[in-house]
Amino acid sequence: MSETSPSAETTVAAFDVRMTRFVDAAGTVLAPLPAFAQDPEELRRMYRVMVETRAIDRKAVALQRTGQLGTYASCLGQEAIGTATGIAMHADDVLIPAYRDYAAQFLRGVPAESTFLYWAGDERSMHFPEGTPSRHDFPFSVPIGTHIPQAIGVAYAFRLRKQPRVAVAACGDGATSRGDFYEAVSSAKVWNLPVVFLISNNQWAISLPRARQTGAQTLAQKAIAGGIPGEQVDGNDVIATRHVLERALAAARAGEGPRVIEAVTYRLHDHTTADDARRYRAEDELEDAWTRCPIKRLRACMATLGCWSVADEEELEAQAAARAEAVAQAYFAVQPEMPQAIFDSLYATLPTALGAQRAEVMTAPAPQTEH
Amino acid sequence: MSETSPSAETTVAAFDVRMTRFVDAAGTVLAPLPAFAQDPEELRRMYRVMVETRAIDRKAVALQRTGQLGTYASCLGQEAIGTATGIAMHADDVLIPAYRDYAAQFLRGVPAESTFLYWAGDERSMHFPEGTPSRHDFPFSVPIGTHIPQAIGVAYAFRLRKQPRVAVAACGDGATSRGDFYEAVSSAKVWNLPVVFLISNNQWAISLPRARQTGAQTLAQKAIAGGIPGEQVDGNDVIATRHVLERALAAARAGEGPRVIEAVTYRLHDHTTADDARRYRAEDELEDAWTRCPIKRLRACMATLGCWSVADEEELEAQAAARAEAVAQAYFAVQPEMPQAIFDSLYATLPTALGAQRAEVMTAPAPQTEH
Amino acid sequence: MADLNIIEAVNLALKSEMARDENVLVLGEDIGRNGGVFRATVGLLDAYGPERVIDMPLAENLIAAMAIGLSTQGLRPVAEIQFSGFLYPCLDQIANHAARYRNRTRGRITCPLVIRAPNGGGIHAPEHHSESMETFFAHMPGLRVIAPSNPARAYGLLLAAIRDPDPVIFLEPTRCYRLFKQAVEDSGEALPLDTAFVEREGTHLTLVSWGAMMHETRLAADALAQEGVSCELIDVASLKPLDMDTILASVTKTGRCVIVQEAPRAYGPASEIAANLAEHGLLSLFAPVLRVSGYDTVMPLARLEKVYLPDVRRIVAEVRKLLELAPVG
Amino acid sequence: MADLNIIEAVNLALKSEMARDENVLVLGEDIGRNGGVFRATVGLLDAYGPERVIDMPLAENLIAAMAIGLSTQGLRPVAEIQFSGFLYPCLDQIANHAARYRNRTRGRITCPLVIRAPNGGGIHAPEHHSESMETFFAHMPGLRVIAPSNPARAYGLLLAAIRDPDPVIFLEPTRCYRLFKQAVEDSGEALPLDTAFVEREGTHLTLVSWGAMMHETRLAADALAQEGVSCELIDVASLKPLDMDTILASVTKTGRCVIVQEAPRAYGPASEIAANLAEHGLLSLFAPVLRVSGYDTVMPLARLEKVYLPDVRRIVAEVRKLLELAPVG
Ligand SMILES: Cc1ncc(C[n+]2csc(CCOP(=O)(O)OP(=O)(O)O)c2C)c(N)n1
Ligand SMILES: Cc1ncc(C[n+]2csc(CCOP(=O)(O)OP(=O)(O)O)c2C)c(N)n1
Ligand SMILES: [Mg+2]
Ligand SMILES: [Mg+2]
């Protein structure tokens, strides 16, 4: 092989990926905080959402362990991302979520008992209440990543109608290996769409570690394949996460086009309650990850800033526990659907050809509520 | 929105895309040539392949226009890439081609009449002759891009067996919009596979111009999504194209992993003979593209270097025309297959359940050969 | 009232509905300036602009997903998939999302979208361009699957499909796109979905088909009429939901049924019709229910595609076989 | 000879065949250290190493394509798709490539691969985990589709599938994975493909099923036996190619047939069997061919999945209906 003379090669494009962090794992503030984070009430608000989300999440796991809920996917350790998302989005934006984005859903008006109902296996859980921002939102997409290209259509509708709205398509690290993710990223800039792709990189896709998911050094750089900005953020730093999300949403809303955000976090729980991560994950990795817990971090930060006391903490713990219990009770109170419900939202009007099937179901013995 | 202090953001990754060119459109040598190109015989060889390929290609178009061939996809203007590929690959590498890579196929032993037979609609065209390198190769994949992830399996087999072989997966600019392309690029480095992804960016996917295919500034940068090197090459400069291909193949063979090459070229013909590009493409764009024709360029370069004469050109033209005519005759001489052929390669052994269907076909009137 | 072929009728329906409802938009590969590879969308770009006539990157999965996203926002996307074999990458989005959103959100999110594609072979097209895709969609709960067989039905059923509040797969008969013309009025009137059309009344047997094979079946009925065999001719038109009432009424009358499909035989659409006859029509049947179909082979390339495709000869032969088993009168 | 459940039998077949043939390798999501979400691949990583037990990135289309690439090189990949609803992204690769390479290269390139997946519902799994996917594959020419119903058949048919020189889709009955055990010998002996199994002889009617529904059907036959109804019980096992000879022989004897499937009714696998009976068995039939099936609804989430799933009660009810129409003896 010949040596190439330098003049035969020229650089035609260059890219970089940046990472944003304001608060480190110990709670130390590393850089001047964004304006919203200079308001202690805002810090307390974010903290409260994270703690309540965790309490509800723990309740769901407890219900599953006692046979009162189906398989459940915990958001333990990832509360900062959902919280930042729920706060950063405007009411009439559209959230196309991944299944650990509970905090964002709660902030947008999904009652937590709906979440429980979803994992119990009841479609009404995805009806979402009228009059809340969640009414615009998509339900979880279990087929990983397949919802992401749908965001292209949603954002296209906003552009067509000249609405100042943004679609936020959220997914995990595993989802970024799929063609679905890529086809959305690759095309979003063709129409300069108001869409933000938010990756919660929690380092694992069930048992597959991030490093074996793709050869890419960062997931943010997958944006480059679509010619759009990609950036990393410390997803356990709720301030940084909210900051980059607000910046991306504002840019998209202002017509500056799509963006990819990789929020780096860690899945502190098993993949779901049906999984046992000890099978494939080293204990010390998990222990180490706990040191970066987003809740601990914000608490330490607030303590340093002098806006959070032991009494505040105790009061919040009690509140959160009460809320989680109330959610469980609300969930228990939901009456089962009638069997014919499996036909009644299938089409706008049930085709005649299906009438006999529906009738058959109505004469069958009534199902019992199971969890 | 707050201003971000610089210290909150750090650069975590940086990438660039380079472009290689040795000979410009006028045939001027821009940089010291690689060793192979310092041998006039090698230049003449590459030139001959390109000219013969073009003659055969024109013959195919002529046959189609006179009703003697089905829809045909011309490689007009893209002869350099196929030629470079066919020369750069080793005999036992595997070519997983796109449908304009005729020159590469010819160099690997596919008889040109097979190409004609393919577009006439005869599956025997993809049988490829024993004892030639093409025997390892894949047939064209009409569903755009779907063959690319298959290269992952092929290259994995090489790695598993510790064979010094490389899989070359070729596609057009349009194909790079597909999840198939991405899933291959995204995963190739996970196993550090010996695979080269070769994009012939001819600026159009039927009527869609490159700029509306994706937001990416270059197609080479799609490599970054998989954490692998991506580079551009002037695909109308056969020397540069062969150089970067040989370099990529050697690297892959040496265990240095996968790579993406975007060869920038132009589709001088309609998409296929079923297309009329005047419907959507400006005449002056086409005229301008002709000034960068790879054949003209190498001829000018050789003329300057003093290794190509008018007499050489005339002799080659005559040879190429004769070869194209011989190909057509060989194609005409192929006898039609029997109707039951539609069953006979369906399974290794035809399941009993299908015996009656095969028998039915054998008693049906024999089909007439149509083009 | 103009004489139109099927592709012109499709084009007219699109034009007409885009004019009537600004929420209707079309998307697909090469559908803008190029007017679509079969010219179904000719003139739409000039009439309605690039925002409503969207040339798509080369990714069918994206086309389906984008159509879903658009439809959830109350738009009425009509997506074109260029050739039948390229519908496979859409199946995931259609089965797992389009067909389900209404049900899984108990009516909150809906997908009033249409996916149009040419279906079937017979035009000497390249590989993967000639597949018959009905079964894949007809087996998916929550969808409608329409396969028009002539210009008037293409027009009227496409209007109905676009206006329908649920996802509709609209499979057009490739080989009949330009085969014949018919007077089609741009009346803006939709034809009913879920309804089979009795195209010709007859007494000896019922011939059932849809899409491109209706044409061969019609010709076979003509040929059989010459021999004194009176065929009732049914165009299924809507494969899902399937109007078995119309087919059963006919078979109850004739006692004999031959179903003609282009798709491979095994697990094809004709089997569903035959199964329903075996369940609900058994007592009326004088003779076996026969299926004339493509073979269980990969769709052959152009040179042998005629071997695969059911044609008048094969339909007539099956009918004669049937009449030997159960002679008329 | 150990007592094994179906998942253990699958695991044993994989282990056994990987030991016998070094070209066999497995790939899929979470199949390595985690042993697969259903534990079908437990122990393989330790026994055969990461080169032959390949944990895949989260992309089913890639899994199918990679399996194809591997198989073209003479390897024998056995891919696992984690849940049935995630087979959709594989359909393009399977229909357009795996099922065609042999035919389109006239025998030069072949795809001796297996794609295994759990099939069907009944385990209260999340959305999209409980689909019945037979029809999609059974309609594709060039494939084989196997649906074992018990441990011994899972073992013997999986060996056969891996050794077969053509692509095989192997759909495992999710809800029966751990439902019962059976003595399975690690004999290395494959069962024949293309063959239905007469599991129990009977005289009054033929009950036909496969996969998970075989279990319900068997229980129904037991219940009916109590009432003096003698059912011949057929496990189709191989949906493609379909062994109609065995089914026809039985129906010729009994004159009555009920087919049980979990998939949605319309255009489902039972329709193909019923259609064949309407064609080749009509004269033997005393009564309509009945299909007990899932409804034409989206597979409900856990709380209502039992409403959807055929069970002993529904099977027995259909049989009683049939016997009313055509009483025995
Ligand atoms: C298409 C598809 N394939 C496989 C699965 C099974 N599955 C559920 S979650 C999961 C891993 C997802 O990983 P990631 O995207 O990182 O999200 P996380 O669970 O870590 O939040 C897999 C493989 C699925 N749900 N969908
Ligand atoms: C999956 C699929 N979709 C659509 C088509 C129809 N089609 C054939 S070639 C082509 C454009 C291909 O563009 P590109 O990849 O740039 O290759 P080129 O033809 O320019 O060489 C299209 C859309 C196809 N063959 N396959
Ligand atoms: Mg993850
Ligand atoms: Mg191109």
Side-chain angles (χ1 to χ4, degrees):
Chain A
M1 292 269 293
S2 65
E3 276 301 296
T4 308
S5 143
S7 62
E9 286 191 41
T10 50
T11 299
V12 291
F15 310 91
D16 66 8
V17 172
R18 321 236 283 160
M19 153 66 104
T20 301
R21 176 186 293 123
F22 285 99
V23 179
D24 74 7
T28 314
V29 175
L30 304 171
L33 294 179
F36 71 78
Q38 288 168 22
D39 175 356
E41 200 37 61
E42 278 298 299
L43 297 182
R44 282 196 293 264
R45 174 183 169 213
M46 295 191 289
Y47 186 71
R48 238 179 276 123
V49 173
M50 294 200 291
V51 169
E52 285 195 7
T53 300
R54 184 167 291 186
I56 292 167
D57 186 80
R58 285 198 193 278
K59 173 65 77 177
V61 172
L63 291 183
Q64 192 283 333
R65 299 283 190 232
T66 51
Q68 298 173 88
L69 195 71
T71 300
Y72 175 75
S74 163
C75 67
L76 192 70
Q78 302 179 218
E79 297 87 351
I81 302 169
T83 301
T85 307
I87 293 175
M89 288 179 70
H90 288 191
D92 61 358
D93 292 339
V94 169
L95 177 63
I96 305 172
Y99 46 78
R100 299 191 207 275
D101 295 327
Y102 303 123
Q105 289 191 318
F106 298 162
L107 283 163
R108 292 180 61 75
V110 176
E113 56 270 27
S114 279
T115 305
F116 288 22
L117 206 56
Y118 176 76
W119 294 106
D122 186 322
E123 285 84 353
R124 290 173 299 174
S125 61
M126 292 175 276
H127 191 261
F128 296 174
E130 303 257 10
T132 71
S134 71
R135 194 71 185 170
H136 304 299
D137 296 347
F138 280 48
F140 297 141
S141 164
V142 163
I144 296 293
T146 53
H147 55 302
I148 306 170
Q150 295 170 13
I152 296 295
V154 173
Y156 192 97
F158 297 161
R159 235 211 47 174
L160 184 75
R161 292 171 167 161
K162 305 195 177 19
Q163 297 170 329
R165 303 167 69 187
V166 182
V168 176
C171 69
D173 44 306
T176 66
S177 290
R178 301 185 74 76
D180 298 276
F181 172 81
Y182 170 74
E183 292 182 359
V185 166
S186 180
S187 62
K189 198 177 150 78
V190 169
W191 303 286
N192 208 40
L193 298 179
V195 54
V196 173
F197 303 104
L198 173 61
I199 305 163
S200 290
N201 171 6
N202 66 4
Q203 312 302 332
W204 291 88
I206 308 188
S207 71
L208 198 70
R210 156 62 191 87
R212 285 163 59 204
Q213 192 66 246
T214 171
Q217 301 89 325
T218 68
L219 301 179
Q221 77 200 54
K222 288 172 178 280
I224 299 169
I228 66 181
E231 58 181 319
Q232 280 191 330
V233 64
D234 185 332
N236 292 342
D237 174 356
V238 69
I239 295 170
T241 307
R242 174 169 163 185
H243 173 71
V244 301
L245 269 166
E246 286 184 344
R247 185 169 63 186
L249 282 155
R253 212 180 302 282
E256 292 167 31
R259 196 170 289 204
V260 173
I261 296 170
E262 175 190 0
V264 181
T265 181
Y266 195 88
R267 192 193 82 204
L268 291 174
H269 201 265
D270 295 332
H271 168 67
T272 64
T273 52
D275 176 53
D276 179 359
R278 284 169 305 183
R279 225 189 289 269
Y280 53 78
R281 185 165 73 171
E283 273 302 320
D284 52 357
E285 181 184 306
L286 181 62
E287 266 169 43
D288 182 54
W290 268 105
T291 65
R292 291 185 299 281
C293 160
I295 292 183
K296 206 190 80 183
R297 179 181 312 201
L298 184 57
R299 186 170 57 233
C301 174
M302 291 194 301
T304 313
L305 296 174
C307 59
W308 194 252
S309 68
V310 174
D312 289 335
E313 181 70 16
E314 280 168 6
E315 190 190 329
L316 176 58
E317 286 292 343
Q319 265 173 19
R323 164 116 196 260
E325 185 51 37
V327 167
Q329 293 309 324
Y331 158 67
F332 291 139
V334 177
Q335 291 303 303
E337 268 190 310
M338 296 304 286
Q340 62 270 29
I342 72 173
F343 289 95
D344 291 345
S345 304
L346 199 56
Y347 296 90
T349 312
L350 192 70
T352 332
L354 293 182
Q357 291 188 16
R358 183 173 184 277
E360 181 178 316
V361 153
M362 290 185 66
T363 63
Q368 289 163 343
T369 301
E370 289 177 275
H371 299 291
Chain B
M1 291 267 296
S2 65
E3 275 302 293
T4 309
S5 144
S7 62
E9 286 192 41
T10 51
T11 299
V12 291
F15 310 92
D16 66 8
V17 173
R18 320 238 281 160
M19 150 69 101
T20 301
R21 177 187 293 123
F22 286 100
V23 179
D24 73 8
T28 312
V29 175
L30 303 171
L33 294 177
F36 71 79
Q38 288 168 21
D39 174 356
E41 203 33 66
E42 279 296 300
L43 297 182
R44 282 196 292 266
R45 174 183 168 216
M46 294 191 290
Y47 186 70
R48 238 180 274 123
V49 173
M50 291 200 291
V51 168
E52 286 195 7
T53 300
R54 185 168 290 187
I56 292 166
D57 186 79
R58 285 197 192 279
K59 173 64 80 180
V61 172
L63 292 183
Q64 192 283 332
R65 299 284 190 232
T66 52
Q68 300 172 86
L69 195 70
T71 301
Y72 175 76
S74 164
C75 69
L76 192 70
Q78 303 180 217
E79 298 88 350
I81 302 169
T83 301
T85 308
I87 293 175
M89 288 179 70
H90 289 190
D92 61 358
D93 291 341
V94 169
L95 177 63
I96 304 171
Y99 48 78
R100 299 192 208 275
D101 295 327
Y102 303 123
Q105 289 191 318
F106 299 161
L107 283 162
R108 293 180 61 76
V110 176
E113 56 270 25
S114 280
T115 305
F116 288 22
L117 207 57
Y118 177 75
W119 294 106
D122 186 322
E123 286 84 351
R124 289 172 300 173
S125 61
M126 291 174 278
H127 192 258
F128 297 175
E130 302 257 9
T132 70
S134 71
R135 194 71 185 170
H136 304 299
D137 296 347
F138 280 49
F140 297 142
S141 164
V142 164
I144 297 293
T146 53
H147 54 302
I148 306 170
Q150 295 170 14
I152 296 294
V154 173
Y156 191 98
F158 298 161
R159 234 211 49 175
L160 184 74
R161 290 168 168 161
K162 302 192 177 25
Q163 295 170 331
R165 301 168 69 187
V166 182
V168 176
C171 69
D173 45 305
T176 66
S177 290
R178 299 185 74 75
D180 298 276
F181 172 82
Y182 170 75
E183 292 181 359
V185 166
S186 181
S187 61
K189 198 175 150 79
V190 169
W191 304 287
N192 208 39
L193 297 179
V195 55
V196 173
F197 302 104
L198 173 60
I199 304 162
S200 289
N201 172 6
N202 66 3
Q203 311 303 333
W204 291 88
I206 309 187
S207 71
L208 198 70
R210 155 63 190 87
R212 284 163 58 203
Q213 191 64 245
T214 171
Q217 301 89 325
T218 69
L219 301 179
Q221 78 199 52
K222 288 173 177 280
I224 299 168
I228 66 180
E231 58 181 319
Q232 280 191 328
V233 64
D234 185 332
N236 293 342
D237 175 356
V238 69
I239 296 170
T241 308
R242 174 168 162 185
H243 173 71
V244 302
L245 269 166
E246 285 184 345
R247 186 170 62 185
L249 281 156
R253 212 180 303 284
E256 290 167 30
R259 195 170 293 203
V260 173
I261 296 170
E262 176 191 0
V264 180
T265 182
Y266 195 87
R267 192 193 81 204
L268 292 174
H269 201 268
D270 295 333
H271 169 66
T272 64
T273 53
D275 176 51
D276 179 359
R278 285 168 304 182
R279 226 188 287 269
Y280 52 78
R281 186 165 71 171
E283 273 302 319
D284 54 354
E285 180 183 307
L286 181 61
E287 266 168 44
D288 181 55
W290 268 107
T291 65
R292 292 186 298 280
C293 160
I295 292 184
K296 207 191 78 182
R297 179 182 311 203
L298 183 56
R299 187 170 57 234
C301 174
M302 290 194 302
T304 314
L305 296 174
C307 59
W308 194 251
S309 67
V310 174
D312 288 338
E313 182 69 16
E314 282 169 3
E315 190 189 326
L316 176 57
E317 286 292 343
Q319 267 173 19
R323 165 116 195 260
E325 185 50 37
V327 167
Q329 293 308 324
Y331 158 66
F332 291 138
V334 177
Q335 292 303 304
E337 269 190 311
M338 296 303 287
Q340 62 271 27
I342 71 173
F343 289 95
D344 290 346
S345 303
L346 199 57
Y347 295 89
T349 312
L350 192 71
T352 332
L354 293 181
Q357 292 188 15
R358 184 173 183 277
E360 181 178 315
V361 153
M362 290 185 66
T363 63
Q368 290 162 343
T369 301
E370 289 175 275
H371 299 294
Chain C
M1 190 100 130
D3 268 7
L4 303 182
N5 63 31
I6 292 181
I7 201 80
E8 290 162 345
V10 165
N11 183 257
L12 183 65
L14 292 172
K15 264 198 195 120
S16 170
E17 202 58 10
M18 288 183 83
R20 209 189 57 82
D21 180 355
E22 64 168 20
N23 285 318
V24 177
L25 40 77
V26 295
L27 65 160
E29 293 160 12
D30 305 295
I31 63 154
R33 184 57 55 218
N34 198 36
V37 289
F38 285 107
R39 312 283 166 249
T41 55
V42 161
L44 300 182
L45 179 67
D46 285 336
Y48 303 107
E51 299 219 312
R52 288 179 65 199
V53 181
I54 312 169
D55 264 328
M56 289 294 294
L58 215 173
E60 284 77 11
N61 179 64
L62 176 68
I63 294 174
M66 182 164 168
I68 292 171
L70 290 165
S71 70
T72 62
Q73 302 307 302
L75 292 164
R76 301 248 162 187
V78 183
E80 171 174 306
I81 298 299
Q82 209 158 58
F83 290 98
S84 53
F86 312 141
L87 278 163
Y88 290 105
C90 305
L91 293 177
D92 190 21
Q93 287 291 335
I94 296 172
N96 275 335
H97 292 289
R100 287 182 195 237
Y101 267 125
R102 180 187 292 278
N103 181 67
R104 63 197 289 270
T105 62
R106 287 295 185 254
R108 182 173 61 91
I109 295 184
T110 63
C111 295
L113 60 83
V114 177
I115 297 188
R116 299 174 39 242
N119 193 50
I123 60 160
H124 281 41
E127 279 191 284
H128 306 276
H129 285 57
S130 305
E131 325 303 306
S132 294
M133 301 292 293
E134 303 95 299
T135 295
F136 298 101
F137 299 107
H139 188 50
M140 290 179 187
L143 285 188
R144 292 176 182 279
V145 182
I146 306 295
S149 69
N150 69 29
R153 279 180 212 139
Y155 173 86
L157 290 170
L158 184 50
L159 290 189
I162 299 173
R163 293 174 195 170
D164 193 83
D166 288 304
V168 181
I169 310 300
F170 198 82
L171 299 171
E172 300 166 5
T174 317
R175 64 194 293 204
C176 298
Y177 265 158
R178 301 193 154 73
L179 199 59
F180 56 91
K181 297 207 171 201
Q182 200 179 30
V184 179
E185 196 192 345
D186 188 11
S187 61
E189 266 173 46
L191 285 170
L193 299 174
D194 308 4
T195 307
F197 297 89
V198 179
E199 197 166 302
R200 184 185 301 182
E201 302 211 350
T203 53
H204 294 148
L205 84 158
T206 304
L207 282 177
V208 179
S209 194
W210 59 89
M213 279 298 130
M214 254 332 266
H215 185 68
E216 297 294 314
T217 306
R218 204 179 290 124
L219 295 179
D222 292 344
L224 288 160
Q226 300 289 318
E227 300 178 16
V229 180
S230 161
C231 298
E232 182 138 317
L233 201 55
I234 295 183
D235 178 1
V236 171
S238 170
L239 283 154
K240 185 182 193 75
L242 177 64
D243 174 11
M244 271 310 297
D245 290 349
T246 298
I247 299 172
L248 274 166
S250 173
V251 176
T252 304
K253 185 174 76 174
T254 63
R256 296 174 192 81
C257 186
V258 174
I259 310 159
V260 184
Q261 81 180 19
E262 182 175 327
R265 184 176 195 76
Y267 305 87
S271 303
E272 178 63 18
I273 297 170
N276 273 290
L277 292 176
E279 181 162 351
H280 303 292
L282 194 80
L283 301 180
S284 320
L285 285 170
F286 303 150
V289 179
L290 299 187
R291 290 168 290 160
V292 185
S293 71
Y295 298 109
D296 287 314
T297 66
V298 171
M299 180 75 197
L301 292 194
R303 283 197 169 175
L304 294 181
E305 75 174 338
K306 279 205 181 141
V307 175
Y308 173 92
L309 291 169
D311 55 11
V312 174
R313 186 189 58 77
R314 276 169 65 192
I315 300 168
V316 170
E318 281 307 286
V319 169
R320 290 208 189 106
K321 200 166 101 185
L322 189 79
L323 295 176
E324 264 169 44
L325 290 170
V328 290
Chain D
M1 192 96 131
D3 269 5
L4 303 182
N5 62 31
I6 291 182
I7 201 79
E8 289 162 347
V10 165
N11 183 258
L12 183 65
L14 291 172
K15 261 196 195 124
S16 173
E17 203 57 12
M18 289 185 82
R20 210 189 56 82
D21 180 354
E22 64 169 17
N23 285 317
V24 177
L25 40 78
V26 294
L27 65 161
E29 293 160 11
D30 306 295
I31 64 156
R33 183 57 56 217
N34 199 35
V37 287
F38 285 108
R39 312 285 163 249
T41 56
V42 160
L44 299 183
L45 179 68
D46 285 337
Y48 302 107
E51 300 219 312
R52 289 178 66 197
V53 180
I54 313 169
D55 264 328
M56 289 294 294
L58 214 172
E60 284 77 11
N61 178 65
L62 175 69
I63 293 174
M66 182 163 170
I68 291 172
L70 290 164
S71 70
T72 63
Q73 304 307 302
L75 293 165
R76 303 249 161 187
V78 184
E80 172 174 305
I81 299 297
Q82 209 158 59
F83 289 98
S84 54
F86 313 141
L87 279 163
Y88 291 105
C90 304
L91 293 177
D92 191 21
Q93 287 290 335
I94 296 172
N96 276 334
H97 292 289
R100 290 184 191 234
Y101 266 125
R102 181 188 291 279
N103 180 67
R104 63 196 291 268
T105 61
R106 287 295 183 256
R108 182 173 61 89
I109 295 183
T110 61
C111 295
L113 60 83
V114 178
I115 297 186
R116 299 176 38 244
N119 194 50
I123 60 160
H124 280 41
E127 278 192 285
H128 307 273
H129 285 56
S130 305
E131 326 304 306
S132 293
M133 300 293 295
E134 303 95 299
T135 295
F136 297 101
F137 299 107
H139 187 51
M140 291 181 188
L143 286 188
R144 291 176 181 281
V145 182
I146 306 295
S149 68
N150 69 30
R153 282 184 208 136
Y155 173 85
L157 290 170
L158 185 50
L159 290 188
I162 299 173
R163 292 173 195 170
D164 192 82
D166 289 303
V168 181
I169 310 299
F170 198 83
L171 299 171
E172 300 166 6
T174 317
R175 64 195 292 204
C176 300
Y177 266 158
R178 300 195 155 74
L179 199 59
F180 55 91
K181 297 206 172 202
Q182 200 179 31
V184 178
E185 197 190 342
D186 188 12
S187 62
E189 267 172 48
L191 284 170
L193 299 174
D194 308 0
T195 307
F197 298 89
V198 180
E199 198 166 300
R200 184 185 302 182
E201 303 209 350
T203 52
H204 295 148
L205 86 158
T206 304
L207 282 177
V208 179
S209 194
W210 59 90
M213 279 299 130
M214 255 332 266
H215 185 69
E216 297 295 314
T217 308
R218 202 178 292 121
L219 296 180
D222 292 345
L224 288 160
Q226 301 288 318
E227 302 178 14
V229 181
S230 161
C231 298
E232 182 138 316
L233 201 55
I234 296 184
D235 178 1
V236 172
S238 169
L239 283 154
K240 187 183 190 72
L242 176 65
D243 175 10
M244 271 311 297
D245 290 349
T246 298
I247 298 172
L248 274 165
S250 173
V251 175
T252 304
K253 187 175 74 176
T254 62
R256 296 174 192 82
C257 186
V258 174
I259 312 160
V260 184
Q261 80 181 16
E262 182 174 329
R265 185 176 192 78
Y267 304 88
S271 303
E272 177 63 18
I273 296 169
N276 273 289
L277 292 175
E279 180 162 354
H280 303 292
L282 193 79
L283 301 181
S284 320
L285 285 170
F286 303 150
V289 179
L290 298 187
R291 291 168 290 159
V292 184
S293 70
Y295 297 108
D296 287 315
T297 66
V298 170
M299 180 74 198
L301 292 193
R303 283 196 170 175
L304 293 182
E305 75 173 341
K306 277 203 181 145
V307 175
Y308 173 93
L309 292 170
D311 56 10
V312 174
R313 185 189 57 79
R314 277 170 62 194
I315 301 168
V316 169
E318 281 307 285
V319 168
R320 290 207 189 107
K321 198 166 103 186
L322 189 79
L323 294 176
E324 264 169 44
L325 290 171
V328 292

